[in-house]
Amino acid sequence: MTAVEEPEIGRTVVANGIRTNYLEAGSGEPVILIHGSGPGVTAYANWRLTLPALGARLRALAPDMVGFGHTERPPGQRYGVEVWADQILGFMDALSLPRASLVGNSFGGAIALRVAARHPDRVHRLVLMGSAGVPFPITPGLDAVWGYEPSLEAMRRLLDIFAYSRELVTDELAEVRYRASIRPGFQESFRAMFPAPRQRWVDALVTPEEELKALPHRTLLVHGRDDRVIPLETSLRLLHLIEDSRLHVFGRCGHWTQIEHAAEFNRLVLEFLTDD
């Protein structure tokens, strides 16, 4: 199947020993987009509306993190925030990028924070959307996302949790995401990442407060007011901890800010990343 027929499959590079599928748009200063942790998720599913907009002025790169999408799943692969952070650093090294801005969605925000905290010289600016990375009691929504077992009805219920407006939650979208979640290897790796009890996996994504307070990067926090997966309080906490930060909250918005308010989100992020 060609890349045209399968838009989720782009180029491949070896990142910290892992054959990593990634999408690319545009040229200029690099920005890496790190997807979330929903079942069947891919870089394309998260960033299909964002990549072309950022690619108008930047080199936008969106990898599938190990365990997700069309990136290699090595036998016996262990998962954790350090593994994913090392994959991002390896991705940058493979593409000869000494520094890049990071845009992290949810779980991807926690990865971006860990990279920035441990390797601050490799990061230019940060955009964190509905981000994990600070402590919070797991929400029923996130518990349902990480506990997903494949069925069309279960996927419909998850989409209702993700999106504020039911207009986005079509039968067609549910079918597409369900089919993605049952591709060979997808659910097996997903099930291995976040077994119950799941509060421990929220805690495992946390970067210590003293490290967050030391972050020197200009940071844009974005959150949906009505997010049922990651509570707005996490971004309020990050706003308090990260010295050079600002927060934009979208009303009538759930966990998919980049999809539910795509045009405004793209303008906001592009202006933040290119404003000197």
Side-chain angles (χ1 to χ4, degrees):
M1 192 173 277
T2 68
V4 172
E5 294 169 322
E6 188 71 80
E8 296 181 338
I9 299 176
R11 301 175 182 177
T12 300
V13 70
V14 178
N16 198 39
I18 297 165
R19 289 181 57 81
T20 297
N21 175 65
Y22 72 99
L23 306 177
E24 181 171 359
S27 60
E29 291 298 314
V31 55
I32 299 172
L33 293 83
I34 310 174
H35 61 70
S37 62
V41 75
T42 62
Y44 178 79
N46 258 200
W47 304 118
R48 64 190 183 277
L49 303 180
T50 311
L51 275 166
L54 297 189
R57 295 182 61 187
L58 298 165
R59 184 184 181 190
L61 302 152
D64 284 341
M65 303 310 294
V66 64
F68 296 93
H70 298 276
T71 283
E72 175 190 22
R73 291 169 166 79
Q77 175 68 47
R78 298 183 67 180
Y79 299 106
V81 66
E82 295 292 350
V83 170
W84 290 308
D86 287 345
Q87 185 187 1
I88 290 295
L89 291 164
F91 181 71
M92 294 174 66
D93 291 342
L95 295 178
S96 300
L97 303 176
R99 191 171 75 150
S101 292
L102 302 180
V103 179
N105 175 30
S106 191
F107 145 98
I111 297 168
L113 282 169
R114 185 61 60 92
V115 172
R118 303 289 165 85
H119 303 274
D121 58 315
R122 303 297 302 271
V123 176
H124 179 39
R125 293 181 183 174
L126 282 171
V127 179
L128 306 171
M129 311 155 42
S131 183
V134 292
F136 66 94
I138 191 169
T139 61
L142 181 56
D143 198 45
V145 169
W146 282 350
Y148 168 82
E149 290 293 336
S151 76
L152 188 56
E153 185 53 40
M155 184 58 75
R156 284 197 187 99
R157 288 195 298 270
L158 284 194
L159 296 183
D160 280 338
I161 291 170
F162 277 120
Y164 174 80
S165 172
R166 287 196 58 85
E167 292 178 6
L168 285 174
V169 184
T170 63
D171 288 342
E172 180 183 8
L173 178 60
E175 178 72 23
V176 167
R177 290 299 296 266
Y178 165 66
R179 292 294 174 194
S181 76
I182 59 172
R183 286 174 174 167
F186 276 43
Q187 182 61 18
E188 289 81 357
S189 56
F190 183 73
R191 190 181 287 125
M193 286 179 208
F194 310 113
R198 297 186 181 90
Q199 179 66 49
R200 56 185 165 154
W201 308 123
V202 174
D203 299 340
L205 291 173
V206 170
T207 292
E209 284 195 358
E210 60 271 19
E211 295 184 37
L212 297 178
K213 288 179 179 178
L215 288 174
H217 312 91
R218 287 187 65 185
T219 302
L220 173 64
L221 304 163
V222 182
H223 218 114
R225 180 193 63 199
D226 311 292
D227 194 333
R228 296 166 59 193
V229 179
I230 306 291
L232 175 58
E233 286 73 20
T234 63
S235 285
L236 293 171
R237 185 62 184 154
L238 288 167
L239 180 68
H240 176 77
L241 291 170
I242 301 173
E243 182 64 26
D244 191 2
S245 62
R246 66 277 297 136
L247 170 63
H248 187 100
V249 179
F250 286 95
R252 296 182 178 178
C253 183
H255 194 56
W256 281 348
T257 54
Q258 83 279 23
I259 296 171
E260 296 179 75
H261 295 269
E264 188 176 352
F265 172 84
N266 291 338
R267 286 194 300 270
L268 181 72
V269 173
L270 189 58
E271 180 180 343
F272 173 76
L273 291 176
T274 57
D275 178 21
D276 293 331

